[in-house]
Amino acid sequence: MAQALALKGSKKLLNAWAFYDWANSVYSLVISSAIFPIFYGALFRVAGIERVVIFGGEIARAPLISYVTSLAFVFIAIVTPLVSGIADYLGNKRLFLKFFCYLGALSCIGLYWFSLENIYFGLVCYFFGLVGFWVSFAINNSYLPDIAFPEQQDGISAKGFSLGYVGSVILLIFNLAMVMQPDVFGITDNGGEVAEIKAMKYSFISVGIWWILFSQYTFAHLPKGYKREGERKNIVLNGFRELKSVWHQLGENTRLKRYLGAFFVYSMAVQTIMLIATYFGEEEITWGSDSERTTGLIISILVIQIVAIFGATVTARVSKKYGNINTLMVINCIWVALCVYAYFLQTPMDFYIAASFVGVVMGGIQALSRSTYSKFLPETTDTTSFFSFYDVAEKIGIIIGTFLYGAVAQLTGSMRNSTIFLGLFFLIGIYLLTRVNSTRK
């Protein structure tokens, strides 16, 4: 513990923590947003089918991956507090950071064998890739108040997201080159498998290797964590008890409680947009051809990632001058305008413009939300439990947000109506943030 306290605020420790974003963000971009969705659709198109028999029933490809994703987030919401409790009582959350890092990375490598013939194995790898990414991300977040002083947290949080955007874009560009020009990389059609699909499979391996390789710098410098003193029986359930304890402590910390309420509402909309943006562009935008659609969506993803670097950095600077809550309210106002704008999108150029603004506010709101929560925490060494609560709230928001988005789209027959619905969440978030700003300590 003495060593961790001595290192707190040091440049080496801060950089090591932020560098985990460089290591794991390739998953969220290459697997979640870009290559895997294209790969998944291509498998069905090449096979000439839209439905597959699984667990004794027939299901279409889109609902299948959606249900697996939702199930993964339910699992994540349950397992995160379990890990939190065990890590606190063992005093070694770095061990769990490593475990879930390797679980996610090896699952990405396992996606190389994803096929319609091996659908169960492929879905298991997809499932645990999500689990590994999000649980390790939550554990790394919980280190923030341990390694940085309050005045450092906005800047280093923004730096972490910026590093993640830069690293993921670098690997995505390499993978896209491999997919679009497989012959240049010596990848050819083999055994009936199209070269482009083979290249996508190699990209999954590259994500796993990148994630494992670059996380080693983080593991080498982060402290093990604080050991929780006291009774050690039933440590598996301690995480849930600690969530209950955090909930009770929120009653004594009005500012933190009100901020969490606001965060839960607007984050529900932010995370839903992150997950469905590509599908919205594919279905609602008028593209000239299939190739233009694929290229256009990839360009949009790259634009969001690159602009987000700028957004995270500028937001951190603005928050220093105007305060975190005021800055978050302005960002939420921009999100409202974007949701309204999205309703009227028609052309690829419209979509590119929206992607640019989404990138600015996406990077800003994620980094600032994380550091604001860290600043509002009471004096405690039990940071894992507080960030576990934060993460569980975010995941429950994702489950609710994606379900409601799909329900509105299904009931009204258009995804455009769902964007207006999400705008209402940002409006509610703005109102709740005004209550945080007016709260006295």
Side-chain angles (χ1 to χ4, degrees):
M1 184 181 296
Q3 183 184 12
L5 291 174
L7 288 172
K8 184 172 182 177
S10 68
K11 186 176 181 181
K12 178 180 290 187
L13 183 59
L14 294 176
N15 288 336
W17 176 84
F19 203 68
Y20 189 71
D21 279 348
W22 170 283
N24 78 339
S25 290
V26 293
Y27 170 87
S28 62
L29 181 58
V30 177
I31 303 296
S32 294
S33 301
I35 303 296
F36 182 79
I38 298 172
F39 167 80
Y40 181 73
L43 285 182
F44 284 84
R45 286 195 302 272
V46 170
I49 60 175
E50 285 293 324
R51 307 175 71 87
V52 64
V53 176
I54 188 169
F55 299 122
E58 193 175 62
I59 186 171
R61 57 173 175 147
L64 173 60
I65 204 67
S66 177
Y67 293 149
V68 174
T69 302
S70 298
L71 184 62
F73 278 111
V74 171
F75 183 82
I76 291 163
I78 295 172
V79 79
T80 300
L82 290 176
V83 171
S84 169
I86 298 172
D88 276 344
Y89 278 82
L90 295 181
N92 194 350
K93 58 185 175 184
R94 186 178 61 196
L95 174 67
F96 292 92
L97 178 61
K98 288 183 177 181
F99 173 80
F100 284 99
C101 165
Y102 295 147
L103 174 66
L106 292 175
S107 296
C108 290
I109 294 173
L111 288 174
Y112 175 86
W113 291 277
F114 193 117
S115 66
L116 297 182
E117 292 75 20
N118 297 319
I119 190 71
Y120 292 104
F121 176 78
L123 291 175
V124 166
C125 288
Y126 174 79
F127 179 95
F128 282 110
L130 276 170
V131 171
F133 172 78
W134 283 104
V135 178
S136 68
F137 183 72
I139 296 172
N140 194 54
N141 279 349
S142 74
Y143 269 105
L144 182 55
D146 297 340
I147 58 95
F149 295 107
E151 65 272 14
Q152 297 174 310
Q153 289 172 10
D154 287 344
I156 196 60
S157 181
K159 183 176 182 178
F161 276 104
S162 296
L163 282 172
Y165 292 133
V166 172
S168 57
V169 167
I170 290 173
L171 187 61
L172 178 59
I173 291 174
F174 170 77
N175 286 329
L176 291 179
M178 187 164 56
V179 170
M180 292 187 289
Q181 299 292 334
D183 55 313
V184 174
F185 294 85
I187 304 172
T188 58
D189 295 350
N190 183 25
E193 187 172 49
V194 180
E196 288 78 4
I197 292 181
K198 188 76 170 179
M200 293 180 193
K201 290 185 173 183
Y202 284 132
S203 73
F204 303 151
I205 295 177
S206 72
V207 169
I209 293 174
W210 178 291
W211 193 350
I212 292 173
L213 179 64
F214 287 111
S215 64
Q216 300 309 307
Y217 179 67
T218 299
F219 298 154
H221 296 288
L222 281 186
K224 289 174 63 177
Y226 291 102
K227 187 174 182 179
R228 184 78 173 272
E229 301 298 333
E231 197 172 351
R232 296 172 64 106
K233 63 181 181 180
N234 297 323
I235 64 173
V236 171
L237 299 178
N238 278 331
F240 292 101
R241 296 191 184 98
E242 288 169 5
L243 287 182
K244 184 178 180 180
S245 174
V246 170
W247 175 256
H248 288 311
Q249 290 182 62
L250 290 177
E252 304 168 3
N253 191 330
T254 305
R255 182 175 66 166
L256 180 60
K257 183 178 182 179
R258 291 183 176 182
Y259 172 71
L260 261 178
F263 168 78
F264 177 79
V265 173
Y266 72 70
S267 178
M268 187 187 305
V270 171
Q271 297 297 331
T272 300
I273 290 172
M274 288 179 65
L275 290 170
I276 58 84
T278 302
Y279 301 101
F280 178 89
E282 183 180 37
E283 183 173 327
E284 297 292 342
I285 301 303
T286 304
W287 304 95
S289 63
D290 288 341
S291 61
E292 183 186 3
R293 175 183 288 106
T294 300
T295 304
L297 291 173
I298 291 173
I299 290 174
S300 300
I301 293 167
L302 284 172
V303 167
I304 290 174
Q305 296 297 310
I306 294 171
V307 175
I309 301 169
F310 169 80
T313 304
V314 169
T315 300
R317 294 179 180 177
V318 171
S319 66
K320 285 184 179 180
K321 183 174 182 180
Y322 297 103
N324 289 30
I325 298 300
N326 288 333
T327 305
L328 283 170
M329 285 193 289
V330 172
I331 294 175
N332 272 267
C333 288
I334 298 173
W335 274 114
V336 173
L338 282 171
C339 287
V340 174
Y341 178 63
Y343 182 85
F344 298 98
L345 296 182
Q346 294 290 340
T347 68
M349 183 55 66
D350 294 336
F351 193 66
Y352 298 148
I353 293 172
S356 299
F357 282 100
V358 165
V360 172
V361 290
M362 185 75 75
I365 202 167
Q366 286 183 294
L368 193 60
S369 294
R370 176 169 65 178
S371 61
T372 301
Y373 180 73
S374 180
K375 283 183 174 182
F376 286 175
L377 292 182
E379 289 294 329
T380 179
T381 59
D382 187 19
T383 56
T384 306
S385 293
F386 275 93
F387 268 93
S388 175
F389 193 94
Y390 175 89
D391 192 68
V392 168
E394 184 180 50
K395 299 307 165 289
I396 293 174
I398 291 175
I399 296 168
I400 296 173
T402 52
F403 175 80
L404 291 177
Y405 185 93
V408 172
Q410 183 177 5
L411 290 173
T412 64
S414 173
M415 295 177 73
R416 295 180 184 274
N417 296 320
S418 298
T419 64
I420 300 297
F421 186 73
L422 291 178
L424 296 177
F425 283 108
F426 288 115
L427 285 174
I428 297 172
I430 294 169
Y431 167 72
L432 294 176
L433 284 170
T434 62
R435 298 179 70 240
V436 176
N437 208 29
S438 63
T439 302
R440 296 179 181 179
K441 293 183 179 180

Coordinates of all heavy atoms in Angstrom, one line a residue, residues 243-282:
L243 N -22.3 -3.2 -3.1 CA -23.2 -2.4 -3.9 C -24.3 -1.8 -3.0 O -24.7 -0.6 -3.2 CB -23.8 -3.2 -5.0 CG -22.8 -3.5 -6.2 CD1 -23.6 -4.3 -7.3 CD2 -22.2 -2.3 -6.8
K244 N -24.8 -2.6 -2.1 CA -25.8 -2.2 -1.2 C -25.3 -1.1 -0.3 O -26.0 -0.1 0.0 CB -26.4 -3.4 -0.4 CG -27.5 -3.0 0.5 CD -28.0 -4.2 1.3 CE -29.2 -3.9 2.2 NZ -29.7 -5.1 2.9
S245 N -24.0 -1.3 0.2 CA -23.4 -0.3 1.0 C -23.2 1.0 0.3 O -23.4 2.1 0.8 CB -22.0 -0.9 1.5 OG -21.3 0.1 2.2
V246 N -22.8 0.9 -1.0 CA -22.6 2.1 -1.8 C -23.9 2.8 -2.0 O -24.0 4.1 -1.9 CB -22.0 1.7 -3.2 CG1 -22.1 2.9 -4.1 CG2 -20.6 1.2 -3.1
W247 N -25.0 2.0 -2.2 CA -26.3 2.6 -2.3 C -26.7 3.4 -1.1 O -27.3 4.5 -1.1 CB -27.3 1.5 -2.6 CG -28.8 2.0 -2.7 CD1 -29.7 1.9 -1.7 CD2 -29.4 2.8 -3.7 NE1 -30.9 2.5 -2.1 CE2 -30.7 3.0 -3.4 CE3 -28.9 3.2 -5.0 CZ2 -31.6 3.7 -4.2 CZ3 -29.8 3.9 -5.8 CH2 -31.1 4.1 -5.4
H248 N -26.4 2.8 0.1 CA -26.7 3.5 1.4 C -25.9 4.8 1.5 O -26.3 5.8 2.0 CB -26.5 2.6 2.5 CG -27.6 1.5 2.7 ND1 -28.9 1.8 2.6 CD2 -27.5 0.2 2.8 CE1 -29.6 0.7 2.7 NE2 -28.8 -0.3 2.9
Q249 N -24.6 4.7 1.1 CA -23.7 5.8 1.2 C -24.2 7.0 0.3 O -23.9 8.2 0.6 CB -22.3 5.4 0.9 CG -21.6 4.6 1.9 CD -20.2 4.2 1.6 OE1 -19.3 5.1 1.5 NE2 -19.9 3.0 1.4
L250 N -24.8 6.6 -0.8 CA -25.3 7.6 -1.7 C -26.3 8.5 -1.0 O -26.5 9.7 -1.4 CB -25.9 7.0 -3.0 CG -25.0 6.3 -3.9 CD1 -25.8 5.7 -5.1 CD2 -23.9 7.3 -4.5
G251 N -27.1 7.9 -0.1 CA -28.1 8.7 0.7 C -27.4 9.8 1.5 O -28.1 10.8 1.8
E252 N -26.2 9.6 1.8 CA -25.4 10.6 2.6 C -24.6 11.6 1.7 O -24.0 12.5 2.2 CB -24.5 9.9 3.6 CG -25.2 8.9 4.5 CD -24.2 8.0 5.2 OE1 -23.0 8.2 5.1 OE2 -24.7 7.1 6.0
N253 N -24.6 11.3 0.5 CA -23.8 12.1 -0.5 C -24.7 12.6 -1.6 O -24.8 11.9 -2.7 CB -22.6 11.3 -1.0 CG -21.6 12.2 -1.8 OD1 -22.0 13.2 -2.4 ND2 -20.4 11.8 -1.8
T254 N -25.5 13.6 -1.3 CA -26.5 14.1 -2.3 C -25.9 14.4 -3.7 O -26.5 14.1 -4.7 CB -27.2 15.3 -1.7 OG1 -27.7 15.0 -0.4 CG2 -28.4 15.7 -2.6
R255 N -24.8 15.1 -3.7 CA -24.2 15.4 -5.0 C -23.9 14.2 -5.8 O -24.2 14.2 -7.0 CB -23.0 16.3 -4.8 CG -22.3 16.7 -6.1 CD -21.2 17.7 -5.8 NE -20.0 17.0 -5.2 CZ -18.8 17.5 -5.1 NH1 -18.5 18.7 -5.6 NH2 -17.8 16.8 -4.5
L256 N -23.3 13.2 -5.2 CA -22.9 12.0 -6.0 C -24.2 11.2 -6.4 O -24.3 10.7 -7.5 CB -22.0 11.1 -5.1 CG -21.6 9.8 -5.7 CD1 -20.8 10.0 -7.0 CD2 -20.8 8.9 -4.7
K257 N -25.2 11.2 -5.5 CA -26.4 10.5 -5.8 C -27.1 11.1 -7.0 O -27.6 10.5 -7.9 CB -27.3 10.5 -4.6 CG -28.6 9.7 -4.8 CD -29.5 9.7 -3.5 CE -30.7 8.9 -3.7 NZ -31.5 8.9 -2.5
R258 N -27.2 12.5 -7.0 CA -27.9 13.2 -8.1 C -27.1 13.0 -9.4 O -27.7 12.9 -10.5 CB -28.1 14.6 -7.7 CG -29.1 14.8 -6.6 CD -29.3 16.3 -6.3 NE -30.4 16.4 -5.3 CZ -30.8 17.6 -4.9 NH1 -30.3 18.7 -5.3 NH2 -31.8 17.6 -4.0
Y259 N -25.8 13.1 -9.3 CA -24.9 12.9 -10.5 C -25.1 11.5 -11.1 O -25.3 11.4 -12.3 CB -23.5 13.1 -10.2 CG -22.6 12.8 -11.4 CD1 -22.6 13.6 -12.5 CD2 -21.8 11.6 -11.4 CE1 -21.8 13.3 -13.6 CE2 -21.1 11.3 -12.5 CZ -21.1 12.1 -13.6 OH -20.3 11.8 -14.7
L260 N -25.2 10.5 -10.3 CA -25.4 9.1 -10.8 C -26.7 9.0 -11.5 O -26.8 8.3 -12.5 CB -25.2 8.1 -9.6 CG -23.9 7.4 -9.5 CD1 -23.9 6.5 -8.3 CD2 -23.5 6.7 -10.7
G261 N -27.7 9.7 -10.9 CA -29.0 9.6 -11.6 C -29.0 10.2 -12.9 O -29.6 9.7 -13.9
A262 N -28.3 11.4 -13.0 CA -28.2 12.0 -14.3 C -27.4 11.2 -15.3 O -27.8 11.0 -16.5 CB -27.6 13.4 -14.2
F263 N -26.3 10.7 -14.8 CA -25.4 9.8 -15.6 C -26.2 8.6 -16.2 O -26.0 8.3 -17.4 CB -24.2 9.4 -14.8 CG -23.4 8.3 -15.5 CD1 -22.5 8.6 -16.5 CD2 -23.5 7.0 -15.1 CE1 -21.8 7.6 -17.2 CE2 -22.8 5.9 -15.7 CZ -21.9 6.3 -16.8
F264 N -26.9 8.0 -15.3 CA -27.7 6.8 -15.7 C -28.6 7.1 -16.9 O -28.7 6.3 -17.9 CB -28.5 6.2 -14.5 CG -29.4 5.1 -14.9 CD1 -28.8 3.8 -14.9 CD2 -30.7 5.2 -15.1 CE1 -29.6 2.7 -15.3 CE2 -31.5 4.1 -15.4 CZ -31.0 2.9 -15.5
V265 N -29.2 8.2 -16.9 CA -30.2 8.6 -17.9 C -29.5 8.9 -19.2 O -29.8 8.4 -20.3 CB -31.1 9.7 -17.4 CG1 -32.0 10.2 -18.6 CG2 -32.0 9.3 -16.3
Y266 N -28.5 9.9 -19.2 CA -27.9 10.3 -20.4 C -27.0 9.2 -21.0 O -26.8 9.0 -22.2 CB -27.3 11.6 -20.4 CG -26.0 11.8 -19.6 CD1 -24.8 11.2 -20.1 CD2 -25.9 12.5 -18.4 CE1 -23.6 11.3 -19.4 CE2 -24.7 12.6 -17.7 CZ -23.6 12.1 -18.2 OH -22.4 12.2 -17.5
S267 N -26.4 8.4 -20.1 CA -25.5 7.4 -20.6 C -26.3 6.3 -21.3 O -25.8 5.6 -22.2 CB -24.7 6.8 -19.4 OG -23.9 5.7 -19.8
M268 N -27.5 6.1 -20.8 CA -28.4 5.1 -21.5 C -28.5 5.4 -23.0 O -28.4 4.5 -23.9 CB -29.8 5.1 -20.8 CG -30.7 4.1 -21.3 SD -32.4 4.3 -20.6 CE -32.0 4.4 -18.8
A269 N -28.6 6.7 -23.3 CA -28.8 7.2 -24.7 C -27.4 7.1 -25.4 O -27.4 6.6 -26.5 CB -29.3 8.6 -24.7
V270 N -26.4 7.5 -24.7 CA -25.0 7.5 -25.4 C -24.6 6.1 -25.8 O -24.2 5.9 -26.9 CB -24.0 8.1 -24.4 CG1 -22.6 7.9 -25.0 CG2 -24.2 9.6 -24.2
Q271 N -24.7 5.2 -24.8 CA -24.3 3.8 -25.1 C -25.2 3.2 -26.2 O -24.7 2.4 -27.0 CB -24.3 3.0 -23.8 CG -23.3 3.5 -22.8 CD -21.9 3.4 -23.2 OE1 -21.5 2.6 -24.0 NE2 -21.1 4.3 -22.7
T272 N -26.4 3.5 -26.2 CA -27.3 2.9 -27.2 C -26.9 3.4 -28.6 O -26.9 2.6 -29.6 CB -28.8 3.3 -26.9 OG1 -29.2 2.7 -25.6 CG2 -29.7 2.7 -28.0
I273 N -26.6 4.7 -28.7 CA -26.2 5.3 -30.0 C -24.9 4.6 -30.4 O -24.8 4.3 -31.6 CB -26.0 6.8 -29.8 CG1 -27.4 7.5 -29.7 CG2 -25.3 7.4 -31.0 CD1 -27.3 8.9 -29.3
M274 N -24.0 4.4 -29.5 CA -22.7 3.7 -29.9 C -23.0 2.3 -30.5 O -22.3 1.9 -31.4 CB -21.8 3.6 -28.7 CG -21.2 4.9 -28.2 SD -20.2 4.7 -26.7 CE -18.8 3.7 -27.4
L275 N -23.9 1.6 -30.0 CA -24.2 0.3 -30.4 C -25.0 0.2 -31.7 O -24.9 -0.8 -32.5 CB -24.9 -0.5 -29.3 CG -24.1 -0.8 -28.0 CD1 -25.0 -1.4 -26.9 CD2 -23.0 -1.8 -28.4
I276 N -25.8 1.2 -32.0 CA -26.8 1.1 -33.1 C -26.4 2.0 -34.3 O -27.1 2.0 -35.3 CB -28.2 1.3 -32.7 CG1 -28.4 2.6 -32.0 CG2 -28.7 0.1 -31.7 CD1 -28.7 3.8 -32.9
A277 N -25.4 2.9 -34.1 CA -25.2 3.9 -35.1 C -24.9 3.3 -36.5 O -25.4 3.7 -37.5 CB -24.0 4.7 -34.7
T278 N -24.1 2.2 -36.5 CA -23.8 1.5 -37.8 C -25.0 1.0 -38.4 O -25.2 1.1 -39.6 CB -22.7 0.4 -37.6 OG1 -21.6 1.0 -37.0 CG2 -22.4 -0.2 -38.9
Y279 N -25.9 0.3 -37.6 CA -27.1 -0.3 -38.2 C -28.1 0.8 -38.7 O -28.8 0.6 -39.7 CB -27.8 -1.1 -37.1 CG -26.9 -2.2 -36.6 CD1 -26.2 -2.1 -35.4 CD2 -26.7 -3.4 -37.3 CE1 -25.4 -3.1 -34.9 CE2 -25.9 -4.4 -36.9 CZ -25.2 -4.2 -35.7 OH -24.4 -5.2 -35.2
F280 N -28.1 2.0 -38.0 CA -28.9 3.1 -38.4 C -28.5 3.6 -39.8 O -29.3 3.8 -40.7 CB -28.9 4.2 -37.4 CG -29.7 5.4 -37.8 CD1 -31.0 5.5 -37.5 CD2 -29.1 6.5 -38.6 CE1 -31.8 6.7 -37.9 CE2 -29.8 7.6 -39.0 CZ -31.2 7.7 -38.6
G281 N -27.2 3.7 -39.9 CA -26.6 4.2 -41.2 C -26.8 3.2 -42.3 O -27.1 3.6 -43.5
E282 N -26.8 2.0 -42.0 CA -27.0 0.9 -43.0 C -28.4 0.9 -43.5 O -28.7 0.7 -44.7 CB -26.6 -0.4 -42.5 CG -26.7 -1.6 -43.5 CD -26.3 -2.9 -42.8 OE1 -26.7 -3.1 -41.7 OE2 -25.7 -3.7 -43.5

